[in-house]
Amino acid sequence: MAIVPMKRLELYGLVRNKASFLSELQRLGLVELIEPAAEDRRSETEEMIRNELFLIEEKLGEINRILEVFERFAPQKPNFVEQFSGMKTVLTWEEQQNYLAKKEETTRLADRVFNAEKEHNLLEQEKVKVEREISALRPWTNLDLPVASWSGSKRVAILLGSFDQNLQALVGELEQEKIPYYCQVIGEYDNRIYMVFFFLRESRAEELLRAKGFAAAWPELAAGTVGERLAVLGEKKQELETNLAKMEKTIQVLADQRPLFQTLYDYWHNQKIQVEAGRQLLTGKAVFALEGWVAAEKVTRVEEVIASLKLPHYLRFSDPQADEEIPILLENKKVITPFEKLVEGFSYPRSDEVDPSAAIAPFFFLGYGMALGDAGYGLVLSVICLVLMAKVPMGSSGRKMAWLFFISGLGTIFFGLLSSSIFGYSFYPGLFNVVEQPQLLLVISLGFGLVQLYVGTMISGWISIKNGDAAEAIWGKGVWLLFLTGLLLIAGGSQIGLGAYATQIKYGTLAVAILLVIGNGRGQKGIWAKIKAIPGGLMTIYGSIGFFSDVLSYSRLMALGLSGAVMGSIINLFVEMTWGAPIGWVFSICIFLFGHALNFGLNLLGAYVHCSRLQYLEFFNTFFTGGGRPFTPLKLENINIFLKKEREV
């Protein structure tokens, strides 16, 4: 249980060297800055910071636009894991520095990218116009009359258009009026019939056709025939497509510079963080001051780095004041570190509490093993975690989670071997069979919960002693555990051979209950005040109901383990039933793989959720409140790249 002790840092230096100090502190990543009160800030400093941020935002926006162009024309394809974790370009420290040395080249490259995108957009717009014109002319493909003929002659009129009903219904009116005409169907498009009519100008043909719903229309054509124009447009479209392909290839070649722009994006992103950190400094005309927190064990390191700058400064470290809110940094042995993720997922401890990571570790290890319950599943889980850690770039948080599931997989292997459950099969007699002896699993689950809650209460007593309240440890926790133990012996003493001492146990438990009531009045002055404390002591006794209800919550471990074991045995039953059929072995293998994969996935999630819940609601309820603020140092943050081995500054 390790909450890292903190020291308060004060640094004073010349304003002209402010950026150098902030840059070094950011690279170091060990100091959390304390923001000054709003009234202590200078408006001119704030204005300067806003101007710097505006320029940085412009650079970030430009680089982000370039990356979007690359993603449009040369998209990166994430693998299955990266679809959830996100994609980052993996670089060595040397590669990152080489890219940063090319900052001056980026303006020329950016211009090439933007010019290529602009040219591509223009070609694409031209292609859209050509396609739109082709689409408009397509219904008139078979119209072989040139534009000059569409006006007809002195006696004969030509009418182009379309109709959406039966053609006979359209021309029937002309025939009834005995109007001479000639009609040619050009084609059909979008549920309309396109046609051309020839008739005498002095006839009422056009009037009758419009009355029947004929829509006069003609293609937009400057000269020649529709076929000739379509041929020209087809050649133009092919030329545009060729030029577009060349331009896309050009941009795809430029996209090879993606790591350069990703590195520069992260560089300017960190510059932005550094400039924003300037708001947490007190700045005068010539001198600046900053305050912050640093882990006590890192004080020497910070002193060495600041001194290496060889700039005028004054650096001082001091112990935190009693009323200060101290940021929390957790530090544990490697085997305990993964379980810090569970604490971080709930709440950081306060400075007057303890880090519960070490207390969680053995119980989550065993509880997860009971909930998942199959050695085969545990082996698969641990192997998956090892492969992910070997193949996928992960930050410290991701590796913590991977190690947590790896250790949980080992816990599952341990419990699965005890109960002889390997992918639902029992290859040897284990200590017990989950499916055949669910009552025993229930007893183990409840006993497991009882032990964990007892440990939590003991930790609470230890915290009281640590904070100088030994009376609370004795009366509030020690006597309370004696009372709970007495109740357990009253209920089950005969089952463990203590039936002959039943009377003594009852009177002993009654005496302990009286001590609980009396102990509730400690610290109260005067007889009347002590009498008024009696109801509170009785409520403490009543609280045993809540304690044992928390113990009952651990029955979910039995439910999860039993459900997974039953589902596994049913899957194996189906496998055995299909194995003897013709080519049944194929179906058996499919059923085995799919069924156990589904059972593994469902129980994997359920075990994590419910085991975490038992820690948060039942175990933490005995000693842990939380509410601490995590330690957030000024540090470098990489959004697009991942450094294989980040060198120490």
Side-chain angles (χ1 to χ4, degrees), residues 276-298:
E276 288 176 334
R279 291 185 169 131
Q280 297 173 292
L281 274 60
L282 292 174
T283 307
K285 291 183 178 180
V287 178
F288 77 87
L290 69 80
E291 294 181 309
W293 295 103
V294 61
E297 59 188 20
K298 300 295 183 181

mmCIF file of all heavy atoms in Angstrom, residues 276-298:
data_model
loop_
_atom_site.group_PDB
_atom_site.id
_atom_site.type_symbol
_atom_site.label_atom_id
_atom_site.label_comp_id
_atom_site.label_asym_id
_atom_site.label_seq_id
_atom_site.Cartn_x
_atom_site.Cartn_y
_atom_site.Cartn_z
ATOM 1 N N GLU A 276 0.205 26.848 -22.518
ATOM 2 C CA GLU A 276 -0.913 26.903 -21.573
ATOM 3 C C GLU A 276 -0.415 26.801 -20.135
ATOM 4 O O GLU A 276 -1.033 27.365 -19.216
ATOM 5 C CB GLU A 276 -1.904 25.785 -21.870
ATOM 6 C CG GLU A 276 -2.709 26.012 -23.149
ATOM 7 C CD GLU A 276 -3.612 24.844 -23.476
ATOM 8 O OE1 GLU A 276 -3.279 23.711 -23.048
ATOM 9 O OE2 GLU A 276 -4.619 25.053 -24.158
ATOM 10 N N ALA A 277 0.702 26.087 -19.934
ATOM 11 C CA ALA A 277 1.274 25.985 -18.587
ATOM 12 C C ALA A 277 1.738 27.347 -18.082
ATOM 13 O O ALA A 277 1.854 27.562 -16.866
ATOM 14 C CB ALA A 277 2.433 24.994 -18.575
ATOM 15 N N GLY A 278 2.001 28.278 -19.014
ATOM 16 C CA GLY A 278 2.395 29.628 -18.606
ATOM 17 C C GLY A 278 1.334 30.323 -17.782
ATOM 18 O O GLY A 278 1.638 31.261 -17.036
ATOM 19 N N ARG A 279 0.079 29.878 -17.914
ATOM 20 C CA ARG A 279 -0.994 30.458 -17.105
ATOM 21 C C ARG A 279 -0.866 30.083 -15.636
ATOM 22 O O ARG A 279 -1.521 30.678 -14.781
ATOM 23 C CB ARG A 279 -2.348 29.983 -17.631
ATOM 24 C CG ARG A 279 -2.709 30.557 -19.006
ATOM 25 C CD ARG A 279 -4.094 30.145 -19.409
ATOM 26 N NE ARG A 279 -4.559 30.876 -20.569
ATOM 27 C CZ ARG A 279 -5.110 30.330 -21.642
ATOM 28 N NH1 ARG A 279 -5.279 29.027 -21.698
ATOM 29 N NH2 ARG A 279 -5.512 31.076 -22.654
ATOM 30 N N GLN A 280 -0.065 29.067 -15.353
ATOM 31 C CA GLN A 280 0.104 28.609 -13.973
ATOM 32 C C GLN A 280 1.349 29.204 -13.321
ATOM 33 O O GLN A 280 1.781 28.734 -12.272
ATOM 34 C CB GLN A 280 0.160 27.075 -13.953
ATOM 35 C CG GLN A 280 -1.142 26.439 -14.448
ATOM 36 C CD GLN A 280 -1.037 24.936 -14.585
ATOM 37 O OE1 GLN A 280 -0.321 24.419 -15.431
ATOM 38 N NE2 GLN A 280 -1.758 24.227 -13.740
ATOM 39 N N LEU A 281 1.891 30.240 -13.965
ATOM 40 C CA LEU A 281 3.048 30.951 -13.423
ATOM 41 C C LEU A 281 2.644 32.354 -12.997
ATOM 42 O O LEU A 281 1.737 32.955 -13.572
ATOM 43 C CB LEU A 281 4.161 31.054 -14.477
ATOM 44 C CG LEU A 281 5.142 29.873 -14.603
ATOM 45 C CD1 LEU A 281 4.419 28.585 -14.960
ATOM 46 C CD2 LEU A 281 6.191 30.198 -15.648
ATOM 47 N N LEU A 282 3.321 32.852 -11.984
ATOM 48 C CA LEU A 282 3.206 34.261 -11.617
ATOM 49 C C LEU A 282 4.333 35.005 -12.321
ATOM 50 O O LEU A 282 5.511 34.661 -12.158
ATOM 51 C CB LEU A 282 3.319 34.429 -10.100
ATOM 52 C CG LEU A 282 2.161 33.861 -9.267
ATOM 53 C CD1 LEU A 282 2.473 33.961 -7.779
ATOM 54 C CD2 LEU A 282 0.874 34.605 -9.575
ATOM 55 N N THR A 283 3.976 35.971 -13.143
ATOM 56 C CA THR A 283 4.966 36.637 -13.982
ATOM 57 C C THR A 283 5.005 38.133 -13.694
ATOM 58 O O THR A 283 3.964 38.812 -13.730
ATOM 59 C CB THR A 283 4.648 36.412 -15.471
ATOM 60 O OG1 THR A 283 4.505 35.010 -15.710
ATOM 61 C CG2 THR A 283 5.752 36.967 -16.351
ATOM 62 N N GLY A 284 6.201 38.620 -13.394
ATOM 63 C CA GLY A 284 6.408 40.054 -13.235
ATOM 64 C C GLY A 284 7.100 40.617 -14.459
ATOM 65 O O GLY A 284 7.144 39.988 -15.516
ATOM 66 N N LYS A 285 7.668 41.796 -14.328
ATOM 67 C CA LYS A 285 8.350 42.413 -15.468
ATOM 68 C C LYS A 285 9.655 41.693 -15.797
ATOM 69 O O LYS A 285 10.031 41.584 -16.961
ATOM 70 C CB LYS A 285 8.629 43.880 -15.172
ATOM 71 C CG LYS A 285 7.369 44.735 -15.124
ATOM 72 C CD LYS A 285 7.704 46.194 -14.909
ATOM 73 C CE LYS A 285 6.439 47.059 -14.910
ATOM 74 N NZ LYS A 285 6.747 48.496 -14.710
ATOM 75 N N ALA A 286 10.332 41.195 -14.784
ATOM 76 C CA ALA A 286 11.624 40.566 -15.031
ATOM 77 C C ALA A 286 11.732 39.154 -14.465
ATOM 78 O O ALA A 286 12.578 38.375 -14.905
ATOM 79 C CB ALA A 286 12.743 41.420 -14.443
ATOM 80 N N VAL A 287 10.872 38.819 -13.483
ATOM 81 C CA VAL A 287 10.999 37.545 -12.770
ATOM 82 C C VAL A 287 9.676 36.788 -12.840
ATOM 83 O O VAL A 287 8.599 37.384 -12.812
ATOM 84 C CB VAL A 287 11.399 37.789 -11.298
ATOM 85 C CG1 VAL A 287 11.476 36.474 -10.533
ATOM 86 C CG2 VAL A 287 12.726 38.524 -11.226
ATOM 87 N N PHE A 288 9.769 35.467 -12.915
ATOM 88 C CA PHE A 288 8.573 34.619 -12.832
ATOM 89 C C PHE A 288 8.728 33.692 -11.626
ATOM 90 O O PHE A 288 9.837 33.440 -11.135
ATOM 91 C CB PHE A 288 8.385 33.797 -14.112
ATOM 92 C CG PHE A 288 9.303 32.616 -14.224
ATOM 93 C CD1 PHE A 288 8.957 31.381 -13.672
ATOM 94 C CD2 PHE A 288 10.527 32.727 -14.873
ATOM 95 C CE1 PHE A 288 9.810 30.293 -13.766
ATOM 96 C CE2 PHE A 288 11.386 31.640 -14.968
ATOM 97 C CZ PHE A 288 11.021 30.421 -14.416
ATOM 98 N N ALA A 289 7.593 33.180 -11.169
ATOM 99 C CA ALA A 289 7.590 32.217 -10.067
ATOM 100 C C ALA A 289 6.579 31.127 -10.375
ATOM 101 O O ALA A 289 5.510 31.399 -10.934
ATOM 102 C CB ALA A 289 7.235 32.914 -8.750
ATOM 103 N N LEU A 290 6.928 29.918 -10.041
ATOM 104 C CA LEU A 290 5.959 28.824 -10.185
ATOM 105 C C LEU A 290 6.018 27.952 -8.948
ATOM 106 O O LEU A 290 7.050 27.816 -8.289
ATOM 107 C CB LEU A 290 6.218 28.007 -11.452
ATOM 108 C CG LEU A 290 7.458 27.112 -11.576
ATOM 109 C CD1 LEU A 290 7.284 25.772 -10.863
ATOM 110 C CD2 LEU A 290 7.766 26.862 -13.042
ATOM 111 N N GLU A 291 4.870 27.358 -8.636
ATOM 112 C CA GLU A 291 4.759 26.410 -7.533
ATOM 113 C C GLU A 291 4.229 25.102 -8.092
ATOM 114 O O GLU A 291 3.478 25.087 -9.076
ATOM 115 C CB GLU A 291 3.824 26.936 -6.449
ATOM 116 C CG GLU A 291 4.339 28.178 -5.727
ATOM 117 C CD GLU A 291 3.372 28.626 -4.647
ATOM 118 O OE1 GLU A 291 2.173 28.772 -4.962
ATOM 119 O OE2 GLU A 291 3.818 28.820 -3.505
ATOM 120 N N GLY A 292 4.618 24.020 -7.455
ATOM 121 C CA GLY A 292 4.164 22.732 -7.941
ATOM 122 C C GLY A 292 4.411 21.629 -6.936
ATOM 123 O O GLY A 292 4.890 21.862 -5.823
ATOM 124 N N TRP A 293 4.070 20.418 -7.356
ATOM 125 C CA TRP A 293 4.266 19.230 -6.532
ATOM 126 C C TRP A 293 5.213 18.278 -7.249
ATOM 127 O O TRP A 293 5.169 18.147 -8.478
ATOM 128 C CB TRP A 293 2.943 18.509 -6.286
ATOM 129 C CG TRP A 293 1.942 19.292 -5.488
ATOM 130 C CD1 TRP A 293 0.846 19.945 -5.959
ATOM 131 C CD2 TRP A 293 1.948 19.498 -4.081
ATOM 132 N NE1 TRP A 293 0.157 20.552 -4.940
ATOM 133 C CE2 TRP A 293 0.813 20.293 -3.763
ATOM 134 C CE3 TRP A 293 2.802 19.106 -3.048
ATOM 135 C CZ2 TRP A 293 0.520 20.688 -2.463
ATOM 136 C CZ3 TRP A 293 2.500 19.497 -1.743
ATOM 137 C CH2 TRP A 293 1.374 20.281 -1.466
ATOM 138 N N VAL A 294 6.036 17.608 -6.485
ATOM 139 C CA VAL A 294 6.942 16.610 -7.032
ATOM 140 C C VAL A 294 7.076 15.481 -6.013
ATOM 141 O O VAL A 294 7.028 15.720 -4.795
ATOM 142 C CB VAL A 294 8.319 17.236 -7.358
ATOM 143 C CG1 VAL A 294 8.974 17.798 -6.112
ATOM 144 C CG2 VAL A 294 9.239 16.213 -8.020
ATOM 145 N N ALA A 295 7.183 14.245 -6.498
ATOM 146 C CA ALA A 295 7.377 13.114 -5.591
ATOM 147 C C ALA A 295 8.674 13.307 -4.808
ATOM 148 O O ALA A 295 9.701 13.706 -5.368
ATOM 149 C CB ALA A 295 7.417 11.809 -6.385
ATOM 150 N N ALA A 296 8.620 13.033 -3.510
ATOM 151 C CA ALA A 296 9.779 13.281 -2.646
ATOM 152 C C ALA A 296 11.024 12.544 -3.147
ATOM 153 O O ALA A 296 12.146 13.060 -3.082
ATOM 154 C CB ALA A 296 9.451 12.853 -1.215
ATOM 155 N N GLU A 297 10.831 11.352 -3.702
ATOM 156 C CA GLU A 297 11.978 10.571 -4.170
ATOM 157 C C GLU A 297 12.588 11.126 -5.458
ATOM 158 O O GLU A 297 13.677 10.714 -5.856
ATOM 159 C CB GLU A 297 11.558 9.115 -4.388
ATOM 160 C CG GLU A 297 10.442 8.966 -5.408
ATOM 161 C CD GLU A 297 9.898 7.550 -5.475
ATOM 162 O OE1 GLU A 297 10.093 6.789 -4.508
ATOM 163 O OE2 GLU A 297 9.287 7.225 -6.493
ATOM 164 N N LYS A 298 11.883 12.048 -6.124
ATOM 165 C CA LYS A 298 12.362 12.625 -7.382
ATOM 166 C C LYS A 298 12.942 14.032 -7.196
ATOM 167 O O LYS A 298 13.308 14.674 -8.181
ATOM 168 C CB LYS A 298 11.225 12.687 -8.405
ATOM 169 C CG LYS A 298 10.620 11.333 -8.749
ATOM 170 C CD LYS A 298 11.616 10.431 -9.454
ATOM 171 C CE LYS A 298 10.984 9.106 -9.855
ATOM 172 N NZ LYS A 298 11.950 8.207 -10.515
#
